[in-house]
């Protein structure tokens, strides 16, 4: 028994030191997000809006439809919009990271094309909800078309819009905005122009919104 | 043999820090990479948890076990249950196969790499290579 005391003490000590080191490292400001990304987003326009124009809070999201993290945040943001239908307005900007997400640009164009027929947010939701299905497909156009049909879009007009240079420009303008804001990771959120780091939980979003509403 | 055990304990300690860091960061918002691209993609993908438990917690369990076995081996108190270093060999062998699978998922399925996960895979490989593959040690009667 006494023989085991020393190793057991070392093991316990190591666990405590490792935990302290991990807590210390996790509390360090991230050099990518804290030093290179702009803490404040200048209002440069663009984006698509969901929620009332005169909402007390504007939540800006820079997202990539093929990014699993954005897909994970999507139901949380949607739930937030349901909880604060009058107080929060969502402004979504495309930031397709095409170097790691080859279908992200096509997905952004599909959503923009749906927007041309007045169904931007319906397609936005569907694209995120079916992300896993189309992400692995080297040619996801037919899947986007099937999703477009589900929300009653005109297939010909949708396909024409997908190939339209104007829509491509619209997405690229968002990419320029993201780069100007030095955004490195997606999704990146801003509330009323101020960058926020929100854990993947509805409660965390609610806490931030409540704090802003009662400021 | 003692030096091997010390090195394995060191690698396991680093693994404990890495796994704990990932567990803490998991719900603390997006984790941008410094070296690789796509940490968020990997850490929030559907492969990042098994039955709702983040893989980092399994990793933590692995490293604590390896660390404990290595420390008991250094103090030579593991004889009743056999040589602890041999247990590390079997454990790290399984760990290595799982790590290879996870690196494969990063490379071919997600097409994104998480540097913290790659560090963990490197540590598992290091522990495996340090573990004795030799035949069982003969115990004196």
């Amino acid at each position: 028994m006494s023989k085991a005391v020393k190793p057991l003490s070392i093991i316990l000590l190591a666990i405590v030191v490792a935990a302290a080191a991990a807590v210390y490292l996790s509390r360090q400001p991230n050099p990518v997000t804290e030093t290179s990304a702009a803490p404040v987003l200048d209002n440069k326009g663009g984006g698509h809006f969901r929620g009332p124009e005169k909402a007390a809070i504007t939540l800006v999201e820079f997202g990539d439809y093929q990014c699993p993290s954005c897909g994970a945040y999507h139901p949380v943001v949607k739930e937030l919009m349901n909880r604060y239908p009058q107080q929060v307005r969502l402004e979504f900007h495309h930031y397709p990271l095409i170097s790691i997400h080859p279908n992200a640009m096509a997905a952004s164009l599909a959503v923009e094309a749906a927007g041309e027929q007045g169904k931007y947010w319906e397609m936005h939701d569907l694209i995120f909800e079916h992300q896993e299905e189309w992400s692995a497909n080297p040619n996801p156009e037919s899947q986007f078309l099937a999703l477009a049909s589900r929300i009653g879009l005109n297939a010909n007009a949708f396909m024409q819009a997908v190939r339209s240079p104007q829509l491509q420009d619209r997405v690229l303008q968002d990419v320029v905005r993201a780069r100007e804001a030095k955004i490195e990771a997606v999704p990146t959120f801003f509330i009323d122009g101020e960058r926020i780091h929100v854990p993947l939980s509805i409660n965390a979003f609610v806490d931030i919104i409540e704090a802003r509403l009662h400021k | 043999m003692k030096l091997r055990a010390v090195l394995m304990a060191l690698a396991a300690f680093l693994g404990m820090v890495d796994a704990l860091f990932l567990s803490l960061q998991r719900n603390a918002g997006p984790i941008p990479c410094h070296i690789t691209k796509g940490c968020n993609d990997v850490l929030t993908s559907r492969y990042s948890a098994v039955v709702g438990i983040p893989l980092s917690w399994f990793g933590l369990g692995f490293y604590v076990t390896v660390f404990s076995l290595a420390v008991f081996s250094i103090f030579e108190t593991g004889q009743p249950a056999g040589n602890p270093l041999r247990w590390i060999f079997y454990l790290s062998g399984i760990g290595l196969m799982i790590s290879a699978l996870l690196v494969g998922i990063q490379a071919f399925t997600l097409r994104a790499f998480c540097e913290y996960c790659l560090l963990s895979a490197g540590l598992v490989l290091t522990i495996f290579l340090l573990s004795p593959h030799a035949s069982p040690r003969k115990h004196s009667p």
Side-chain angles (χ1 to χ4, degrees):
Chain A
M1 180 67 191
S2 59
K3 222 178 167 187
V5 170
K6 210 169 179 180
L8 280 175
S9 311
I10 291 172
I11 291 162
L12 280 176
L13 182 68
I15 291 171
V16 171
V17 173
V23 169
Y24 173 78
L25 289 172
S26 66
R27 288 186 179 172
Q28 292 304 297
N30 194 305
V32 175
T33 56
E34 297 295 341
T35 59
S36 63
V40 174
L41 180 73
D42 295 332
N43 187 7
K44 295 190 172 76
H48 287 266
F49 298 94
R50 183 182 231 174
E53 197 180 336
K54 288 184 178 166
I57 289 169
T58 301
L59 174 70
V60 177
E61 176 182 358
F62 280 84
D64 168 328
Y65 288 108
Q66 203 183 343
C67 140
S69 186
C70 301
Y73 271 89
H74 173 252
V76 176
V77 172
K78 210 173 161 188
E79 169 66 17
L80 185 78
M81 299 306 292
N82 288 337
R83 286 200 194 185
Y84 296 94
Q86 298 306 317
Q87 298 95 326
V88 179
R89 187 183 204 208
L90 174 66
E91 178 183 330
F92 186 85
H93 292 272
H94 304 277
Y95 190 23
L97 302 178
I98 52 171
S99 61
I100 51 173
H101 300 142
N103 293 344
M105 186 65 181
S108 285
L109 289 171
V111 177
E112 284 289 344
E116 292 294 289
Q117 296 184 49
K119 300 237 168 140
Y120 179 92
W121 292 107
E122 288 87 339
M123 193 66 169
H124 170 93
D125 291 341
L126 271 181
I127 289 270
F128 269 136
E129 283 156 19
H130 294 267
Q131 188 191 61
E132 280 187 22
E133 292 152 38
W134 57 262
S135 280
N137 190 338
N139 186 10
E141 210 167 62
S142 59
Q143 283 170 289
F144 295 151
L145 184 59
L147 293 175
S149 302
R150 273 174 59 175
I151 50 173
L153 298 183
N154 177 298
N156 285 337
F158 174 77
M159 290 312 293
Q160 272 181 5
V162 161
R163 295 188 173 88
S164 134
Q166 284 83 10
L167 292 194
Q168 211 159 56
D169 279 352
R170 204 179 289 166
V171 174
L172 292 175
Q173 279 168 18
D174 268 357
V175 171
V176 170
R177 285 185 193 101
R179 288 187 180 156
E180 281 173 356
K182 295 180 180 168
I183 290 166
E184 297 280 353
V186 281
T188 291
F189 294 98
F190 295 84
I191 282 189
D192 294 337
E194 188 184 323
R195 188 188 177 118
I196 53 160
H197 298 271
V198 205
L200 184 53
S201 107
I202 184 67
N203 292 336
F205 271 98
V206 166
D207 288 347
I208 291 173
I209 296 298
E210 287 293 333
R212 295 273 168 165
L213 287 173
H214 297 104
K215 221 175 183 178
Chain B
M1 195 60 83
K2 222 165 216 181
L3 178 65
R4 275 188 190 203
V6 170
L7 291 174
M8 279 191 276
L10 275 176
F13 176 77
L14 288 176
M16 276 157 59
V17 176
D18 186 41
L20 270 168
F21 172 75
L22 280 180
S23 303
L24 291 172
Q25 286 289 100
R26 185 174 167 86
N27 291 319
I31 309 175
C33 296
H34 300 86
I35 304 163
T36 57
K37 273 187 176 178
C39 285
N40 259 331
D41 293 6
V42 176
L43 296 170
T44 57
S45 74
R46 66 190 176 99
Y47 305 100
S48 66
V50 174
V51 290
I53 303 167
L55 287 181
S56 55
W57 287 111
F58 290 103
L60 180 64
F62 166 79
Y63 288 120
V64 169
T65 308
V66 168
F67 183 84
S68 305
L69 289 169
V71 169
F72 275 111
S73 161
I74 293 165
F75 288 92
E76 290 180 347
T77 56
Q79 295 310 317
N83 182 355
L85 292 186
R86 287 197 62 77
W87 283 103
I88 294 180
F89 169 66
Y90 295 126
L91 269 177
S92 59
I94 296 167
L96 191 62
M97 282 190 275
I98 295 170
S99 292
L101 177 71
L102 295 175
V103 171
I105 288 172
Q106 288 180 68
F108 302 111
T109 306
L110 300 174
R111 292 166 200 258
F113 288 98
C114 154
E115 60 209 33
Y116 312 100
C117 314
L118 294 179
L119 170 68
S120 183
L123 289 171
V124 172
L125 177 65
T126 306
I127 291 167
F128 178 75
L129 292 176
L130 285 168
S131 65
H133 320 84
S135 54
R137 191 198 284 183
K138 284 178 185 164
H139 299 293
S140 49

